Amino acid sequence: MTSPIRTERDGNVLVIVSDNPPVNALGQAVRAGLADAIAKGLADPDIEAMVIRCDGQTFFAGADITEFGKPPQGPSLPQVLDRIEASDKPVVAAIHGTALGGGCELALACHYRLAVPKAKLGLPEVKLGLIPGAGGTQRLPRLVGAKAALPLVVLGNPISARDALDIGLLDLLTGDSSLEAEAIAFARSKAGQPVPRTSQGTANQDGVRDPAIFDEFRVTQGRAMRGLDAPNAAIAAVRAAAELPFAEGVKKERELFVGLMTGTQSKAMRHYFFAERAAQKIADLPADTPLLPIRAVGVIGAGTMGGGIAMNFLSAGIPVILLEMQQEALDRGTAVMRRNYEASAKRGRMTMAQVDAAMDLLTPTLDYADLADCDLVIEAVYENMDVKKQVFARLDEVTKPGAILASNTSYLSIDEIATATQRPGHVLGLHFFSPANVMKLLEVVRGAQTRGDVLATAMKLARTIGKVAAVSGVCAGFIGNRMLSKRQEQANKLIMEGASYWDVDDVLLEFGFPMGPFQMGDLAGLDIGWHRDPAKVTTVREALCAAGRFGQKAGKGFYDYDSARQRTPSDEVRAIIADFAAKAGHTQREVGKDEIRERLLYPMVNEGAKILDEKIAQRASDIDVVWINGYGWPIYTGGPMFWASTIGLETIVAGLDRHGLPVSDYLRKCAAEGRTFD
Ligand code: 3H9
C-alpha cells in the first residue's frame, strides 16, 4: 500500500506532504508516514529545515474519528507530535482549509505556523464530547495564554487565520496561492537557528497570575456548557497547563481525554457527527445527480415564518421576492426582518454593511406575476389544505416551467398539495423551524412524485444556507411533529392524572431539553389558534385563555412570570387543571418523575420505530438529527433513537407495557432480537 505521506526536496528544505482525502484525517498510515518523514529529514545532513503541508481541500482536520473505540495502532499522535517538536531542525506548518483538532495540535507542535488568510484553526473536540488529546490543551495556553486558549478549547469554535495571528497562534499570513513557496522560504530563513518549542512557552503564566479566569469562564459560559461533561474537563486541562509542568499537564490531559472517550456522552456525540453527514445521503439517489440552479427564491407570506425563511437566503446572497396579500403586512414583515438583522449587527454577528447588502437583495411585492423568474418558491401561509392548494395552483400558473414549488407545511400532505399543480415532480416540502433564520433543522419532505434532481437540489441548498437537512417521507407531522404529538399527548394526560405541570417541564429540563411543553406553550402564546370566545371552554388551554392567561407576553400562562421572566407555578392554573380532571372523571394521584420521563419519552421512541418501519425516515440516525436540531433533544444523549439503544429497547418495551401504552410490532421485534435500530 502506498503511504499517504510523500516528501519533496526544495534545496535544503524537505517538504512533507499529506494526501489523504477527503480531509487529511490523521489515521494510522498518516501518523506512521509523518514519523518516517521527520526521521528522514533529521537523518539527511543536506536538509536544514522542514515544511509540513497537505494536498486537497484542507490541512489535517483532526484525528481519524473512525479509529476511535478501536484498538490503538502506533505510532500514536502524541508520539508523532513530540518527535516533530523535538526536532532541532525547524519544522513549519503550512496551513490551508481547516486545521482542526489533532491537525491544530500538529501545527502547535511545529516550530512555526503559516496560513493562508481563508484558513481556520480550532480545537473542536468538545463537539465530539472530548478534549484535545495530543498535547493541545498544554501547548496552546503556553503559546497564546490561558485566557485566549479557554474559548478555543472549551467551546470548540474555530477561529479565522486573522484572529489566530492576532492571538499569536500563527506567525504569518501568506498569499492565497503562495503558501508553499512562502513556507519554504520562511523555513529556509530559520535554518541553523535554535527552534522555539511551544511546550516551553510561558504565555500560560496569565492563568497563574489570575487563577480566577477559569471559574469566571465557567460562569459566563454556563449556558453553552449545560449538561455537557467535556467543557468542564477542558477547563480543568487548561488550568493544568497553568499549574503543572508540561509533562505532568500532558498526563492530566490524557487522563481526562481517556475518561471522556470511554463515556457515553462522547459515544453519543460521535454518533451524531456521522449521523449529520449520513443524513445528507439519499439511498436511491446517485451522488452525481445533476442539480438545478437556484438563482432567485420566492417566499409567500411575510409573517414570522416567511420572513425568517427569506432571511436564510438573503444572508447567503440569494435574492428573494417576498409576496404578501396586503401592503401593510408586507411593510410590517420587511421591517421585522431589518430589525432582526440590525439586532445581529448590534451583537457583533454582522456589520451594518452586511445588513444593507442582505436587505438590498429583497424585493417585496403584492403581485404573483413578480415570481415568474424564481427558481424556487416556498409557501409559508396559513396551515389549511384548501388555502395551500389555491396558492400552489396559482404558483403553477405564474412560475416558469421547471421552477421548484415548496411548502413549509408542518403537518399537511405534500402529495395532496402537489395535485393542485401540473408539476408534481417539482413539488416538495421544506419544513423550517421557528425562528427560521436561527434554527438549524430543515426537514425536506419528499413527495411520492418528487423528482430526484429536485430533492438533490433541496439538500444542496440546505447546506448553502447553513441548515442541517434530513429527508422525511409524507405522513401527518413528518418525522419531528409526528413524534412530538406523542409526547404532548402524554404531557396532557399526565396533568389530568395528577402530575404537576412544572414536574413535567422539569423532567424534560433535567433530561437536557432547553424547556418543557408547558413553558414552550407559554413562550409561543397559548392564544395561538384560540377561537376567542371566553364562554366556550373545552380544554385547559381554552380555560387559561378565557382567564387572560395568554402566556409570557401577558405575564401569565401556565406559569406566573415576574419582570425578569422567571416562572412560578400558579395556584389558579392548578385549580383549573384539577377542575378539568374532576369533570373528566380522573382521580388525581401522585405521579413520580420516573413515570413522567418514561411516559413522555418512550412513546416517542415507539413512534420513531413506526416511522422507520414505514420508511418515512431512511435511517434511525436521521430521526436523531431531526430531534437534536429541531427540538433541542440533548446532543450528548445522541438523539431519541440512539438514546433508546443505550438504555436498551427491551427497557423501552417493558416501560410502555407497564404504563399500558401501545408498542409497535417493529419495536417489539427489534427488542426481542436484542438489536438496535440501525
Ligand atoms: C481529534 O482530533 C482528537 C485529538 O485531539 C486527539 C487524538 C489523540 N475523521 O464534514 P464533511 C469525513 S478529534 C474521519 O462532509 P466538509 C466525514 O465523515 C477530531 N473522518 O466535509 C465525511 O465522510 P463521508 C477533531 C472525517 O467539507 C467526509 O470526511 N476534528 C473526519 O463539510 C467529509 O466531511 C474534528 O472534529 C475525521 N476527523 O467539512 C473535525 N472529518 O463523505 C471534524 C471529516 O463519508 N470534521 N471526516 O460522509 C469537520 O469538522 C469537517 O469534516 C470539515 C470539512 C470542516 C473538516
Side-chain angles (χ1 to χ4, degrees):
M1 246 175 59
T2 53
S3 168
I5 300 292
R6 66 174 192 278
T7 54
E8 294 161 358
R9 291 182 68 118
D10 189 303
N12 61 346
V13 177
L14 185 73
V15 183
I16 301 170
V17 186
S18 172
D19 181 12
N20 186 33
V23 298
N24 280 304
L26 288 150
Q28 194 277 334
V30 175
R31 298 194 302 272
L34 283 170
D36 289 348
I38 292 289
K40 183 171 160 188
L42 288 173
D44 187 336
D46 295 334
I47 293 296
E48 292 183 275
M50 293 179 253
V51 167
I52 300 180
R53 72 162 186 86
C54 291
D55 276 347
Q57 62 164 358
T58 179
F59 194 72
F60 307 100
D64 186 338
I65 306 168
T66 60
E67 288 182 353
F68 290 0
K70 296 181 186 156
Q73 281 184 292
S76 73
L77 191 58
Q79 283 167 345
V80 176
L81 302 200
D82 286 348
R83 279 181 223 173
I84 293 174
E85 195 185 49
S87 160
D88 48 13
K89 298 181 184 179
V91 184
V92 175
I95 300 167
H96 76 293
T98 42
L100 299 179
C104 184
E105 292 176 290
L106 184 142
L108 284 164
C110 292
H111 306 116
Y112 302 98
R113 288 150 292 278
L114 274 54
V116 294
K118 281 203 199 99
K120 291 201 160 157
L121 291 92
L123 294 167
E125 282 88 342
V126 283
K127 304 208 184 235
L128 298 169
L130 296 169
I131 61 166
T137 67
Q138 303 306 298
R139 285 196 176 94
L140 183 66
R142 283 176 165 80
L143 184 66
V144 305
K147 202 162 182 181
L150 275 169
L152 276 164
V153 182
V154 181
L155 305 179
N157 301 320
I159 56 171
S160 68
R162 220 162 278 285
D163 288 345
L165 184 71
D166 284 347
I167 62 169
L169 172 51
L170 287 176
D171 296 289
L172 193 73
L173 293 189
T174 70
D176 281 327
S177 54
S178 55
L179 174 67
E180 180 172 16
E182 288 190 54
I184 291 171
F186 188 94
R188 188 165 287 136
S189 75
K190 300 292 178 189
Q193 296 180 23
V195 295
R197 295 197 169 92
T198 316
S199 64
Q200 292 165 13
T202 53
N204 57 336
Q205 292 303 308
D206 65 341
V208 180
R209 285 190 302 274
D210 183 10
I213 60 173
F214 302 104
D215 289 336
E216 276 164 18
F217 191 82
R218 183 174 299 134
V219 172
T220 54
Q221 298 301 328
R223 221 171 132 210
M225 293 166 54
R226 190 169 86 94
L228 293 159
D229 293 339
N232 276 308
I235 294 178
V238 178
R239 186 173 196 139
E243 293 171 349
L244 301 174
F246 183 73
E248 280 178 50
V250 164
K251 237 190 244 162
K252 173 87 183 169
E253 175 193 271
R254 181 117 297 255
E255 233 172 75
L256 292 164
F257 177 81
V258 171
L260 292 167
M261 177 68 94
T262 47
T264 50
Q265 287 203 354
S266 176
K267 215 169 145 200
M269 291 167 85
R270 282 181 271 139
H271 157 78
Y272 175 73
F273 177 85
F274 290 112
E276 186 181 310
R277 282 149 184 89
Q280 310 311 306
K281 299 183 177 103
I282 298 161
D284 58 342
L285 216 58
D288 58 356
T289 303
L291 300 176
L292 307 171
I294 304 291
R295 286 170 295 236
V297 173
V299 175
I300 319 271
T304 314
M305 208 58 204
I309 292 172
M311 287 174 76
N312 286 296
F313 296 98
L314 299 175
S315 301
I318 301 173
V320 173
I321 321 251
L322 182 64
L323 180 111
E324 252 300 344
M325 296 299 101
Q326 308 290 337
Q327 187 66 46
E328 199 198 341
L330 192 57
D331 292 345
R332 205 180 323 120
T334 48
V336 169
M337 288 165 68
R338 178 170 280 281
R339 261 208 311 281
N340 286 342
Y341 272 131
E342 285 172 354
S344 295
K346 269 204 194 99
R347 280 188 224 111
R349 295 203 187 121
M350 60 199 297
T351 62
M352 277 314 289
Q354 286 170 320
V355 173
D356 291 338
M359 288 305 287
D360 283 351
L361 290 171
L362 180 70
T363 311
T365 182
L366 298 173
D367 188 356
Y368 264 89
D370 288 340
L371 300 168
D373 285 332
C374 289
D375 302 296
L376 161 70
V377 181
I378 305 169
E379 154 285 306
V381 301
Y382 186 59
E383 280 287 82
N384 173 293
M385 183 54 88
D386 292 337
V387 177
K388 302 259 183 205
K389 279 182 163 173
Q390 278 166 25
V391 169
F392 270 73
R394 193 73 205 280
L395 286 175
D396 197 31
E397 280 166 25
V398 299
T399 56
K400 64 187 176 190
I404 300 174
L405 305 183
S407 173
N408 177 53
T409 178
S410 42
Y411 284 94
L412 300 174
S413 166
I414 294 297
D415 291 336
E416 192 177 339
I417 293 174
T419 61
T421 74
Q422 304 297 312
R423 60 175 100 188
H426 285 82
V427 174
L428 84 172
L430 291 179
H431 180 207
F432 290 80
F433 288 70
S434 191
N437 53 320
V438 176
M439 293 293 284
K440 285 298 244 182
L441 180 65
L442 182 62
E443 230 177 359
V444 177
V445 186
R446 179 182 196 173
Q449 297 193 58
T450 306
R451 286 162 44 140
D453 54 356
V454 169
L455 188 60
T457 300
M459 297 303 282
K460 171 74 187 358
L461 191 62
R463 269 184 89 129
T464 307
I465 60 173
K467 298 287 178 207
V468 175
V471 179
S472 172
V474 174
C475 65
F478 316 123
I479 296 173
N481 281 343
R482 179 168 160 183
M483 287 167 71
L484 180 67
S485 69
K486 296 294 161 191
R487 192 181 85 177
Q488 192 61 43
E489 195 178 294
Q490 285 304 309
N492 294 342
K493 279 193 177 152
L494 278 160
I495 59 170
M496 284 296 116
E497 290 170 36
S500 56
Y501 61 89
W502 55 95
D503 271 356
V504 172
D505 282 342
D506 286 351
V507 159
L508 291 180
L509 280 175
E510 285 156 20
F511 187 77
F513 281 94
M515 65 179 76
F518 300 107
Q519 285 173 283
M520 177 72 102
D522 276 0
L523 182 68
L526 297 174
D527 55 336
I528 293 181
W530 180 45
H531 47 57
R532 307 200 181 271
D533 179 0
K536 205 174 117 201
V537 172
T538 56
T539 62
V540 169
R541 206 169 160 132
E542 284 170 359
L544 296 186
C545 286
R549 305 192 68 101
F550 299 137
Q552 267 197 29
K553 61 185 170 190
K556 55 185 187 172
F558 275 98
Y559 297 93
D560 292 330
Y561 292 90
D562 63 17
S563 55
R565 298 205 163 186
Q566 290 296 318
R567 67 191 164 114
T568 330
S570 144
D571 287 337
E572 184 185 3
V573 176
R574 214 179 306 210
I576 289 175
I577 293 172
D579 186 41
F580 257 87
K583 280 191 195 135
H586 289 291
T587 348
Q588 297 225 314
R589 64 181 169 94
E590 288 267 320
V591 184
K593 282 194 169 177
D594 285 344
E595 177 177 342
I596 295 176
R597 192 179 54 253
E598 290 174 7
R599 286 181 52 185
L600 292 175
L601 301 183
Y602 291 5
M604 292 177 63
V605 174
N606 184 55
E607 203 59 27
K610 284 165 73 176
I611 284 171
L612 262 185
D613 192 32
E614 292 166 23
K615 310 218 175 335
I616 296 293
Q618 298 187 84
R619 45 184 95 77
S621 62
D622 283 12
I623 299 176
D624 293 334
V625 168
V626 165
W627 267 82
I628 286 171
N629 291 290
Y631 301 84
W633 186 289
I635 187 171
Y636 53 80
T637 67
M641 306 312 267
F642 184 84
W643 172 74
S645 62
T646 57
I647 62 168
L649 300 190
E650 64 287 359
T651 308
I652 305 271
V653 169
L656 288 167
D657 283 340
R658 193 167 56 250
H659 299 303
L661 296 170
V663 180
S664 70
D665 292 344
Y666 184 65
L667 175 59
R668 213 177 272 288
K669 183 164 153 267
C670 291
E673 289 170 5
R675 64 187 186 88
T676 58
F677 288 122
D678 265 332

